[in-house]
Amino acid sequence: MPESNFTMTVEGHGPARDIAVRVRDGAGPPVVWLGGFRSDMNATKASAIDAWAEQEGRRFVRFDYAGHGVSGGTFEDYVMSSWLADARAVIDAHAGEAPVLVGSSMGGWVACLVARERARQGQRTAGLVLIAPALDFTEELIWAGLDDVQKRAMQAKGRIAVPSEYDPRPTVFTMALIEDGRENLMLNGPVELGCPVHILQGGRDPDVPSSHAFRLLERLPAEDTVLTLIADGDHRLSRPQDIARLVAAVAGIA
């Protein structure tokens, strides 16, 4: 099936930005890729799902959030609500019919926020596949991981830069990101998404530990919820065997 590139303008929760979108045409419930923090739509897992979609004749939608990849905007100008708005806009425009949402790390949080909102509005979501879902990561994994000196510096300066294991450039965390994250927390109560959920989690994930996935599991309905724990898996879950599990999980829902 052919693939098309689009640009769409999204406004709200930060400066207006042009969001880069790539759509592979096809039938069936559209599959939507929701990437991670500082990742992009050309990541290994997204490309693997695209190859599956091409082979199976399935519609596949992927995009870069504001300040990510080839989309417009400066990364530090945006927060979770910005990236959630980007996802909503892309899904409404290109995947409105009961989509399958595939969220990696931060994208898992975005996927859950989108699905919860759709359920509350009476819109159907076919299912979610979540890879190391980092719900509430701004509070539970960033803020909680800073020492008192770092917290005071962020509060005083509005931002701090910390080394990244995945990028030679340091990662900038803003106080705006932390504060906005508090408006989108999900793990403080039941997580009602209205659709099947399959979680893939690495047992050796240093960034989103397996205990975090189990916290989510405890808050999801037991019905139609599956957790696959890959005991020797890391955060990326991009080895051939991990990719095979991911594609199988997507195909199982889609």
Side-chain angles (χ1 to χ4, degrees):
M1 292 289 183
E3 188 177 46
S4 302
N5 294 302
F6 300 89
T7 300
M8 57 187 298
T9 301
V10 178
E11 298 181 347
H13 300 288
R17 58 275 189 191
D18 290 331
I19 298 300
V21 185
R22 189 177 300 169
V23 179
R24 181 172 297 285
D25 198 15
V31 178
V32 182
W33 173 257
L34 300 165
F37 191 70
R38 292 188 68 182
S39 185
D40 63 61
M41 62 178 164
N42 293 318
T44 301
K45 294 185 287 293
S47 297
I49 297 173
D50 180 60
W52 166 83
E54 181 178 26
Q55 179 179 338
E56 297 295 320
R58 293 298 302 273
R59 186 173 182 84
F60 180 55
V61 180
R62 47 180 165 161
F63 68 99
D64 286 332
Y65 306 109
H68 289 67
V70 295
S71 284
T74 301
F75 176 80
E76 293 84 0
D77 288 341
Y78 300 97
V79 293
M80 275 299 300
S81 292
S82 314
W83 301 322
L84 177 59
D86 296 343
R88 288 177 183 143
V90 171
I91 291 168
D92 288 347
H94 299 289
E97 175 201 342
V100 177
L101 306 180
V102 185
S104 178
S105 195
M106 181 187 81
W109 189 5
V110 175
C112 288
L113 287 166
V114 169
R116 184 177 68 177
E117 182 176 289
R118 289 177 64 87
R120 289 174 174 175
Q121 295 176 346
Q123 296 177 300
R124 182 170 171 265
T125 301
L128 271 63
V129 177
L130 308 176
I131 308 110
L135 277 72
D136 301 4
F137 80 97
T138 53
E139 190 71 16
E140 303 288 342
L141 302 177
I142 297 177
W143 186 252
L146 299 177
D147 59 33
D148 290 342
V149 172
Q150 291 173 312
K151 288 178 179 178
R152 286 195 296 269
M154 181 183 282
Q155 289 168 329
K157 299 176 182 178
R159 63 185 61 203
I160 61 170
V162 299
S164 170
E165 294 185 12
Y166 304 106
D167 195 310
R169 301 167 298 171
T171 299
V172 175
F173 297 127
T174 67
M175 198 65 216
L177 176 69
I178 301 300
E179 292 171 345
D180 177 82
R182 290 169 181 159
E183 300 298 318
N184 290 289
L185 299 179
M186 301 187 76
L187 295 178
N188 48 9
V191 178
E192 300 286 350
L193 306 179
C195 63
V197 178
H198 191 156
I199 301 169
L200 300 170
Q201 175 66 44
R204 294 176 179 170
D205 186 339
D207 301 307
V208 182
S210 56
S211 58
H212 199 76
F214 280 103
R215 285 187 62 195
L216 172 58
L217 186 68
E218 291 169 356
R219 287 157 177 78
L220 287 166
E223 295 75 20
D224 288 328
T225 298
V226 174
L227 169 66
T228 299
L229 180 64
I230 303 160
D232 65 344
D234 60 9
H235 183 62
R236 289 180 179 273
L237 290 181
S238 293
R239 302 170 301 179
Q241 62 267 38
D242 301 326
I243 295 295
R245 291 187 183 100
L246 170 60
V247 170
V250 174
I253 287 182

